[in-house]
Amino acid sequence: MIDSMDVGEGNAFLTYNSSTGYNCVVTVGDAPGTPQILGANLRRHSTSTSWPTGTQDDGVYNYYAGPLYLYAPGACIDWGGRAESNYTRINYGVHCG
């Protein structure tokens, strides 16, 4: 795990595997086993406000949203999530390789 953030009623976690070059994001809710609105986001850094298919996982889940994987060695990423909130928290242009 290389980073985490509070995203409301849960936390988003970012991992990186240096041997494969893959990043991974998962958002875990604070009430495991209870349906919650959860979201996870991960993409190469972009100034666009839209998130293409496959760069986000958003829905009602009992445990977690994701995992989302991104092969991005040497690139900066945007990542984040949400938990029981209409607001998605994103860190832009971080963890540059």
Side-chain angles (χ1 to χ4, degrees):
M1 185 176 78
I2 61 171
D3 209 343
S4 65
M5 72 172 75
D6 182 332
V7 293
E9 300 297 317
N11 290 283
F13 299 96
L14 174 67
T15 62
Y16 180 71
N17 185 327
S18 60
S19 63
T20 65
Y22 277 89
N23 293 278
C24 176
V25 169
V26 174
T27 299
V28 179
D30 285 344
T34 303
Q36 299 174 75
I37 298 168
L38 299 172
N41 297 66
L42 178 63
R43 68 178 181 186
R44 285 181 180 265
H45 177 60
S46 172
T47 57
S48 173
T49 57
S50 67
W51 288 72
T53 301
T55 62
Q56 60 184 349
D57 180 24
D58 200 34
V60 176
Y61 298 103
N62 289 333
Y63 296 97
Y64 59 87
L68 296 174
Y69 297 98
L70 176 66
Y71 180 74
C76 297
I77 61 166
D78 302 334
W79 76 281
R82 72 182 185 128
E84 287 296 315
S85 171
N86 290 327
Y87 174 74
T88 299
R89 181 170 173 211
I90 303 291
N91 282 348
Y92 291 94
V94 296
H95 300 292
C96 303

